[in-house]
Amino acid sequence: PVYSLRRVRKIDTITLPEELFGQTVRTDILQRVVTWHLSCLRQGTAKTKTRGEVAGSGKKLYRQKGTGKARVGSKKSPIRRGGGVAHGPKPRDWDYPLPRKIRQLGLKCALSSKFSQNKVFIVDETDFSSHKTKKLTVIAHRFKWKTALIVDYLINPFLALAQRNLKDINYVTTEALNVYDILKHDYLVLHRDTLRQLKKRAGIEEPPILIYNPQNTFFELEQKYKNENNNNIGIIEQQQEEDDDQYDHIAEEGEEDETDQENLDQFLRKQNNTNSI
Protein backbone atom coordinates (compact mmCIF):
# COMPACT_ATOMS: atom_id res chain seq x y z
CA PRO A 1 0.00 0.00 0.00
CA VAL A 2 0.97 3.59 -0.65
CA TYR A 3 0.16 6.13 2.04
CA SER A 4 -0.21 9.89 2.00
CA LEU A 5 1.49 11.89 4.73
CA ARG A 6 -0.91 14.76 4.26
CA ARG A 7 -4.10 12.71 4.49
CA VAL A 8 -2.54 10.07 6.79
CA ARG A 9 -4.29 7.22 5.01
CA LYS A 10 -3.91 4.68 2.23
CA ILE A 11 -4.38 6.07 -1.28
CA ASP A 12 -2.87 3.51 -3.68
CA THR A 13 -1.13 0.16 -4.02
CA ILE A 14 2.23 -0.69 -5.55
CA THR A 15 4.16 -3.89 -6.29
CA LEU A 16 7.57 -3.89 -4.65
CA PRO A 17 10.47 -5.54 -6.52
CA GLU A 18 11.23 -9.01 -5.26
CA GLU A 19 14.96 -8.47 -5.90
CA LEU A 20 14.99 -5.91 -3.08
CA PHE A 21 12.31 -7.03 -0.63
CA GLY A 22 12.06 -10.77 -1.24
CA GLN A 23 15.57 -11.97 -0.43
CA THR A 24 16.53 -14.47 2.26
CA VAL A 25 17.66 -12.63 5.39
CA ARG A 26 21.24 -13.63 6.20
CA THR A 27 22.27 -12.50 9.65
CA ASP A 28 25.92 -13.23 8.97
CA ILE A 29 25.96 -10.72 6.09
CA LEU A 30 24.12 -8.14 8.21
CA GLN A 31 26.66 -8.60 11.01
CA ARG A 32 29.58 -8.08 8.64
CA VAL A 33 28.09 -4.95 7.08
CA VAL A 34 27.09 -3.40 10.43
CA THR A 35 30.51 -4.10 11.93
CA TRP A 36 32.19 -2.54 8.91
CA HIS A 37 29.92 0.52 9.10
CA LEU A 38 30.56 1.12 12.80
CA SER A 39 34.27 0.62 12.30
CA CYS A 40 34.31 3.26 9.56
CA LEU A 41 32.56 5.70 11.91
CA ARG A 42 35.37 5.51 14.48
CA GLN A 43 37.50 8.63 14.66
CA GLY A 44 40.65 6.80 15.67
CA THR A 45 42.00 9.75 17.69
CA ALA A 46 42.70 7.93 20.97
CA LYS A 47 46.25 8.72 22.10
CA THR A 48 48.36 8.15 25.20
CA LYS A 49 51.89 9.34 25.98
CA THR A 50 54.76 6.91 26.25
CA ARG A 51 57.66 7.33 28.68
CA GLY A 52 59.52 9.22 25.99
CA GLU A 53 56.69 11.77 25.59
CA VAL A 54 55.88 12.44 29.26
CA ALA A 55 57.30 15.71 30.63
CA GLY A 56 59.95 15.24 33.30
CA SER A 57 63.63 14.76 34.00
CA GLY A 58 65.53 11.67 33.02
CA LYS A 59 67.79 11.85 36.04
CA LYS A 60 68.12 8.80 38.27
CA LEU A 61 65.98 9.42 41.37
CA TYR A 62 68.53 8.11 43.88
CA ARG A 63 71.68 6.06 43.96
CA GLN A 64 71.73 2.43 43.02
CA LYS A 65 72.89 0.94 46.32
CA GLY A 66 72.89 1.70 50.01
CA THR A 67 69.34 3.05 50.44
CA GLY A 68 67.53 -0.21 51.13
CA LYS A 69 64.98 0.57 48.46
CA ALA A 70 64.33 -1.07 45.17
CA ARG A 71 66.60 0.16 42.43
CA VAL A 72 64.95 2.74 40.18
CA GLY A 73 65.89 4.82 37.18
CA SER A 74 63.69 7.46 35.52
CA LYS A 75 60.52 8.73 37.12
CA LYS A 76 58.80 8.50 33.70
CA SER A 77 58.73 4.71 33.92
CA PRO A 78 55.29 3.13 33.22
CA ILE A 79 55.25 1.49 36.65
CA ARG A 80 55.35 4.84 38.49
CA ARG A 81 52.53 7.26 39.09
CA GLY A 82 52.58 10.04 36.48
CA GLY A 83 54.78 8.04 34.17
CA GLY A 84 54.16 7.03 30.58
CA VAL A 85 51.74 4.39 29.34
CA ALA A 86 53.09 1.17 27.90
CA HIS A 87 51.37 -0.21 24.78
CA GLY A 88 48.66 2.48 24.82
CA PRO A 89 46.42 3.44 21.87
CA LYS A 90 47.78 5.51 19.02
CA PRO A 91 45.93 7.44 16.29
CA ARG A 92 44.93 5.07 13.50
CA ASP A 93 42.43 4.58 10.72
CA TRP A 94 39.84 1.90 11.54
CA ASP A 95 38.46 1.81 8.01
CA TYR A 96 38.90 -1.37 6.02
CA PRO A 97 37.54 -2.41 2.60
CA LEU A 98 34.42 -4.56 2.34
CA PRO A 99 33.54 -6.20 -0.99
CA ARG A 100 30.94 -4.32 -2.96
CA LYS A 101 28.75 -7.40 -3.46
CA ILE A 102 28.68 -8.01 0.29
CA ARG A 103 27.48 -4.43 0.85
CA GLN A 104 24.83 -4.77 -1.84
CA LEU A 105 23.63 -8.08 -0.39
CA GLY A 106 23.51 -6.52 3.08
CA LEU A 107 21.22 -3.76 1.78
CA LYS A 108 18.90 -6.33 0.21
CA CYS A 109 18.81 -8.39 3.42
CA ALA A 110 18.02 -5.33 5.55
CA LEU A 111 15.16 -4.25 3.28
CA SER A 112 13.82 -7.80 3.13
CA SER A 113 13.98 -8.06 6.92
CA LYS A 114 11.83 -4.96 7.39
CA PHE A 115 9.40 -6.06 4.70
CA SER A 116 8.96 -9.51 6.26
CA GLN A 117 8.02 -7.78 9.54
CA ASN A 118 5.45 -5.50 7.78
CA LYS A 119 7.40 -2.42 8.82
CA VAL A 120 7.89 -0.82 5.41
CA PHE A 121 5.78 2.22 4.53
CA ILE A 122 5.61 3.62 0.99
CA VAL A 123 4.54 7.27 0.74
CA ASP A 124 3.59 9.24 -2.35
CA GLU A 125 5.04 12.62 -1.35
CA THR A 126 7.13 14.26 1.34
CA ASP A 127 6.29 17.88 0.51
CA PHE A 128 5.87 19.68 3.81
CA SER A 129 4.52 23.22 3.71
CA SER A 130 5.58 23.92 7.29
CA HIS A 131 8.71 23.34 9.33
CA LYS A 132 6.77 22.73 12.56
CA THR A 133 7.79 19.62 14.45
CA LYS A 134 4.25 19.23 15.81
CA LYS A 135 2.92 18.27 12.38
CA LEU A 136 5.44 15.44 11.98
CA THR A 137 4.76 14.31 15.55
CA VAL A 138 1.04 14.00 14.81
CA ILE A 139 1.76 11.95 11.68
CA ALA A 140 4.10 9.60 13.58
CA HIS A 141 1.50 9.20 16.33
CA ARG A 142 -1.27 8.31 13.88
CA PHE A 143 0.87 5.77 12.06
CA LYS A 144 2.17 4.48 15.43
CA TRP A 145 5.82 5.00 14.57
CA LYS A 146 8.00 4.60 17.65
CA THR A 147 11.21 5.05 15.69
CA ALA A 148 11.19 5.65 11.95
CA LEU A 149 13.66 6.32 9.16
CA ILE A 150 12.25 8.45 6.32
CA VAL A 151 14.10 7.97 3.02
CA ASP A 152 13.63 10.47 0.20
CA TYR A 153 15.25 10.93 -3.21
CA LEU A 154 15.79 14.65 -2.49
CA ILE A 155 16.00 16.59 0.78
CA ASN A 156 12.90 18.62 1.60
CA PRO A 157 14.06 21.59 3.75
CA PHE A 158 10.77 21.84 5.67
CA LEU A 159 10.73 18.15 6.53
CA ALA A 160 14.40 18.29 7.51
CA LEU A 161 13.68 21.14 9.94
CA ALA A 162 10.61 19.40 11.35
CA GLN A 163 12.55 16.18 11.96
CA ARG A 164 15.56 17.87 13.54
CA ASN A 165 13.94 18.13 16.99
CA LEU A 166 12.86 14.48 17.07
CA LYS A 167 15.48 11.97 18.16
CA ASP A 168 13.41 8.91 17.21
CA ILE A 169 12.69 9.97 13.61
CA ASN A 170 15.49 10.51 11.09
CA TYR A 171 15.40 11.81 7.54
CA VAL A 172 18.00 10.82 4.92
CA THR A 173 18.40 10.57 1.16
CA THR A 174 18.88 7.38 -0.81
CA GLU A 175 22.63 8.00 -1.13
CA ALA A 176 23.02 8.29 2.66
CA LEU A 177 20.95 5.19 3.44
CA ASN A 178 22.86 2.40 5.16
CA VAL A 179 22.16 -0.99 6.69
CA TYR A 180 22.85 0.14 10.26
CA ASP A 181 20.20 2.89 10.18
CA ILE A 182 17.65 0.53 8.61
CA LEU A 183 18.08 -2.03 11.38
CA LYS A 184 18.29 0.54 14.17
CA HIS A 185 14.88 2.09 13.44
CA ASP A 186 11.62 0.27 13.95
CA TYR A 187 9.91 1.43 10.74
CA LEU A 188 11.25 2.24 7.28
CA VAL A 189 9.39 4.96 5.34
CA LEU A 190 10.28 5.10 1.63
CA HIS A 191 9.24 7.58 -1.01
CA ARG A 192 7.90 5.71 -4.02
CA ASP A 193 10.46 7.39 -6.30
CA THR A 194 13.37 5.96 -4.31
CA LEU A 195 12.82 2.39 -5.49
CA ARG A 196 14.73 2.91 -8.73
CA GLN A 197 17.66 4.45 -6.88
CA LEU A 198 17.64 1.57 -4.38
CA LYS A 199 17.83 -0.89 -7.28
CA LYS A 200 20.85 0.94 -8.61
CA ARG A 201 22.55 0.91 -5.20
CA ALA A 202 21.83 -2.79 -4.78
CA GLY A 203 23.44 -3.58 -8.13
CA ILE A 204 20.20 -4.62 -9.86
CA GLU A 205 20.43 -3.78 -13.55
CA GLU A 206 17.22 -2.94 -15.34
CA PRO A 207 16.75 -4.34 -18.89
CA PRO A 208 17.30 -1.83 -21.71
CA ILE A 209 14.24 -0.20 -23.24
CA LEU A 210 13.85 -1.15 -26.91
CA ILE A 211 11.78 1.10 -29.17
CA TYR A 212 9.76 -0.83 -31.77
CA ASN A 213 9.12 0.80 -35.10
CA PRO A 214 5.88 -0.57 -36.66
CA GLN A 215 6.99 0.51 -40.14
CA ASN A 216 10.00 -1.78 -39.97
CA THR A 217 10.34 -5.35 -38.76
CA PHE A 218 13.60 -4.55 -36.98
CA PHE A 219 14.16 -2.66 -33.79
CA GLU A 220 15.46 0.84 -34.23
CA LEU A 221 18.35 0.22 -31.88
CA GLU A 222 19.40 -2.89 -33.81
CA GLN A 223 19.11 -1.06 -37.12
CA LYS A 224 21.10 1.85 -35.73
CA TYR A 225 23.81 -0.55 -34.59
CA LYS A 226 23.95 -2.17 -38.02
CA ASN A 227 24.09 1.20 -39.75
CA GLU A 228 26.97 2.29 -37.56
CA ASN A 229 28.86 -0.91 -38.33
CA ASN A 230 28.20 -0.53 -42.08
CA ASN A 231 29.39 3.06 -41.97
CA ASN A 232 32.54 2.00 -40.16
CA ILE A 233 33.17 -0.73 -42.74
CA GLY A 234 32.63 1.75 -45.59
CA ILE A 235 35.07 4.19 -44.04
CA ILE A 236 37.70 1.45 -43.64
CA GLU A 237 37.28 0.29 -47.27
CA GLN A 238 37.52 3.88 -48.53
CA GLN A 239 40.70 4.40 -46.49
CA GLN A 240 42.20 1.23 -47.95
CA GLU A 241 41.41 2.36 -51.50
CA GLU A 242 43.05 5.73 -50.86
CA ASP A 243 46.14 3.99 -49.44
CA ASP A 244 46.32 1.67 -52.49
CA ASP A 245 46.07 4.64 -54.86
CA GLN A 246 48.81 6.41 -52.98
CA TYR A 247 51.08 3.36 -53.13
CA ASP A 248 50.41 2.96 -56.90
CA HIS A 249 51.26 6.61 -57.45
CA ILE A 250 54.53 6.23 -55.55
CA ALA A 251 55.39 3.09 -57.53
CA GLU A 252 54.73 4.90 -60.85
CA GLU A 253 56.96 7.78 -59.78
CA GLY A 254 59.70 5.27 -58.95
CA GLU A 255 59.41 3.65 -62.38
CA GLU A 256 59.59 7.07 -64.07
CA ASP A 257 62.72 7.89 -62.09
CA GLU A 258 64.36 4.62 -63.22
CA THR A 259 63.50 5.36 -66.88
CA ASP A 260 65.02 8.84 -66.68
CA GLN A 261 68.19 7.40 -65.16
CA GLU A 262 68.55 4.86 -67.98
CA ASN A 263 68.09 7.57 -70.63
CA LEU A 264 70.74 9.71 -68.93
CA ASP A 265 73.21 6.80 -68.88
CA GLN A 266 72.68 6.15 -72.58
CA PHE A 267 73.27 9.82 -73.43
CA LEU A 268 76.51 9.87 -71.41
CA ARG A 269 77.79 6.75 -73.17
CA LYS A 270 77.15 8.35 -76.58
CA GLN A 271 79.01 11.49 -75.52
CA ASN A 272 82.01 9.47 -74.37
CA ASN A 273 82.12 7.52 -77.62
CA THR A 274 81.99 10.78 -79.62
CA ASN A 275 84.85 12.34 -77.64
CA SER A 276 87.00 9.26 -78.00
CA ILE A 277 86.61 9.36 -81.80
Side-chain angles (χ1 to χ4, degrees), residues 120-251:
V120 176
F121 278 76
I122 307 296
V123 296
D124 63 335
E125 86 283 335
T126 55
D127 296 333
F128 269 48
S129 59
S130 175
H131 65 281
K132 295 294 184 180
T133 305
K134 183 178 180 180
K135 182 178 180 180
L136 185 58
T137 305
V138 172
I139 294 174
H141 180 70
R142 290 185 180 180
F143 281 120
K144 298 181 181 180
W145 295 341
K146 294 182 180 179
T147 60
L149 178 65
I150 304 175
V151 184
D152 201 351
Y153 65 99
L154 289 175
I155 285 292
N156 182 10
F158 290 116
L159 181 56
L161 291 175
Q163 169 271 330
R164 192 167 59 178
N165 292 329
L166 299 175
K167 67 175 184 178
D168 295 331
I169 296 179
N170 291 321
Y171 180 51
V172 297
T173 59
T174 312
E175 290 78 9
L177 183 65
N178 57 77
V179 175
Y180 176 71
D181 287 338
I182 294 175
L183 300 178
K184 184 176 69 173
H185 294 83
D186 196 15
Y187 288 92
L188 180 63
V189 184
L190 299 174
H191 193 283
R192 67 189 308 170
D193 293 337
T194 61
L195 298 178
R196 181 175 297 178
Q197 295 179 350
L198 288 177
K199 280 186 177 181
K200 186 176 181 180
R201 281 203 54 189
I204 302 174
E205 296 182 358
E206 296 184 357
I209 300 176
L210 297 178
I211 305 173
Y212 181 72
N213 186 4
Q215 298 178 357
N216 196 352
T217 57
F218 296 98
F219 289 103
E220 289 185 358
L221 294 179
E222 184 178 0
Q223 190 66 29
K224 181 180 178 182
Y225 177 76
K226 289 183 178 179
N227 293 335
E228 290 179 354
N229 288 342
N230 292 335
N231 293 335
N232 293 335
I233 293 173
I235 292 172
I236 293 173
E237 291 178 351
Q238 183 179 0
Q239 186 67 28
Q240 288 179 349
E241 292 177 358
E242 293 178 357
D243 294 341
D244 294 340
D245 295 340
Q246 185 177 4
Y247 293 148
D248 295 340
H249 181 67
I250 293 172

Side-chain angles (χ1 to χ4, degrees), residues 24-35 106 109-110 113 183:
T24 303
V25 180
R26 292 185 53 181
T27 56
D28 59 327
I29 297 296
L30 294 176
Q31 188 270 340
R32 288 185 62 181
V33 177
V34 170
T35 303
C109 291
S113 175
L183 300 178

